[in-house]
Amino acid sequence: YQGATLTYAGWTIAVDMIRRHRVIETFLAKDLKLPLADVDAEAEILEHAFSSRLIDRLWRASGIDVDL
């Protein structure tokens, strides 16, 4: 198998999910001081529940200066 290829729409969704996950991980680790061993699993749950508006606010509040 050569692997899968994403359409532009699929790529956009994938990048958004990665961004959501990273923003939530940052918030949990940095602001809530959650143990690093727990951060990934909690972010996996929350990334599907948080609205885009909330993710954007967490992004700005985190001080992350890189746009995806």
Side-chain angles (χ1 to χ4, degrees):
Y1 291 98
Q2 302 252 347
T5 302
L6 294 175
T7 64
Y8 180 76
W11 180 84
T12 301
I13 291 167
V15 168
D16 181 62
M17 290 308 294
I18 293 166
R19 177 178 177 258
R20 288 173 163 275
H21 192 89
R22 300 297 177 173
V23 167
I24 294 168
E25 282 182 328
T26 300
F27 171 69
L28 294 174
K30 181 178 164 187
D31 298 320
L32 297 184
K33 310 289 190 234
L34 198 68
L36 291 178
D38 299 333
V39 167
D40 182 61
E42 293 297 335
E44 182 66 34
I45 295 165
L46 295 171
E47 72 189 28
H48 302 283
F50 282 21
S51 70
S52 294
R53 185 174 167 195
L54 180 56
I55 293 295
D56 290 343
R57 289 187 68 126
L58 287 173
W59 177 272
R60 288 190 303 274
S62 73
I64 298 171
D65 64 355
V66 176
D67 266 336
L68 291 178

